[in-house]
Amino acid sequence: MKKDEFVIGVLGGMGTYATIHFFETYAEVFPADKEWERPRIIIDNRCTMPSRVRAFLYQENVSTLVEEMTDSMKSLLRSGCTKIILACNTSHLFLPKIYESVPELEDSVVHIIDHCVEKIALDNQEKVYLLGSEGTIDSKIYQNALEKQGIVCVTPSEEEYKYLRKVIEAVKQNKYTDEIKDLFVSLINRYDSCILGCTELPILYEKYKEFVSCKKVFDPLLIVLETLKEEYDHE
């Protein structure tokens, strides 16, 4: 593949501030003296889609969600995207349904969960703590993938889901308080290694990094961008 054919497509808007943060990270991971030295990126900030968490937990608007995700991904493919990233961990739960209707999409999707688990395995981690939406946690999409690598995955208790919802919603609304900082810091500092398994959480991590004592923090979207950077450099 030639460099000008290396086009990153992003299905975002889940939520919008997480997508903005992803775009900023892309600019940092792909530094350039001239803009054309970066790969092209196309972002569909489809914030109008139904909730991914509610679709998984309550089977709410599943068909609508799958149809809209499929439509956006097909549009990215038609626009020339060769690498498609879903900027939401929970949304990956619906990929099997999408592949059923459009099998060719599977070759283009850069699966952020698979890449994150691979990175954790290469880092020789024996145990990792997962923070994320209750949909991501309850689906066991990370736990099952980590188990295949012989890695123990620890998760918050169901009683703590309300705290996770609170910090995630704070990012979606761009509203931060001392309570949000204290909640996030208390969650991430439980173990020596942690997955930021919701795309809002890296924003909190960057914001409160000075208070974080967790030694290994894995950000799936950052890992994917760094992987794509290596691939792009070798084109």
Side-chain angles (χ1 to χ4, degrees), residues 85-234:
I85 299 171
L86 307 185
C88 168
N89 288 263
T90 310
S91 68
H92 286 69
L93 298 172
F94 304 97
L95 281 175
K97 288 183 178 293
I98 292 170
Y99 295 155
E100 283 177 13
S101 59
V102 190
E104 59 268 29
L105 281 170
E106 188 167 4
D107 292 333
S108 301
V109 171
V110 186
H111 202 291
I112 69 172
I113 293 166
D114 288 349
H115 280 275
C116 182
V117 170
E118 182 181 348
K119 172 69 173 176
I120 294 168
L122 289 172
D123 210 47
N124 297 314
Q125 296 295 311
E126 297 180 356
K127 179 190 291 186
V128 66
Y129 185 48
L130 172 63
L131 294 179
S133 72
E134 55 199 281
T136 296
I137 294 173
D138 284 354
S139 72
K140 298 188 183 298
I141 191 169
Y142 271 104
Q143 295 94 310
N144 293 336
L146 288 162
E147 185 179 357
K148 289 178 183 177
Q149 298 288 341
I151 301 167
V152 176
C153 182
V154 186
T155 61
S157 66
E158 289 188 17
E159 290 75 21
E160 293 174 306
Y161 285 179
K162 60 186 176 185
Y163 303 133
L164 283 164
R165 284 196 297 270
K166 197 161 192 173
V167 298
I168 290 169
E169 282 302 313
V171 177
K172 288 180 180 290
Q173 297 169 14
N174 198 30
K175 295 179 180 178
Y176 302 97
T177 64
D178 287 342
E179 181 190 12
I180 295 302
K181 181 196 77 173
D182 292 342
L183 282 175
F184 175 72
V185 170
S186 68
L187 286 166
I188 196 172
N189 285 343
R190 298 265 179 91
Y191 293 87
D192 287 338
S193 64
C194 176
I195 300 171
L196 300 178
C198 175
T199 50
E200 272 73 34
L201 297 179
I203 296 176
L204 290 168
Y205 175 66
E206 290 298 326
K207 192 174 184 65
Y208 303 124
K209 196 172 183 177
E210 64 182 296
F211 304 103
V212 174
S213 59
C214 180
K215 296 174 183 175
K216 288 281 186 177
V217 178
F218 297 94
D219 174 355
L221 284 178
L222 174 59
I223 290 167
V224 158
L225 282 172
E226 290 174 340
T227 301
L228 291 179
K229 176 64 164 58
E230 290 180 13
E231 189 176 338
Y232 183 70
D233 286 346
H234 285 89

Side-chain angles (χ1 to χ4, degrees), residues 70-85:
T70 303
D71 178 66
S72 283
M73 293 169 71
K74 286 168 64 178
S75 177
L76 290 169
L77 204 61
R78 287 194 300 269
S79 298
C81 296
T82 52
K83 311 288 181 180
I84 296 177
I85 299 171

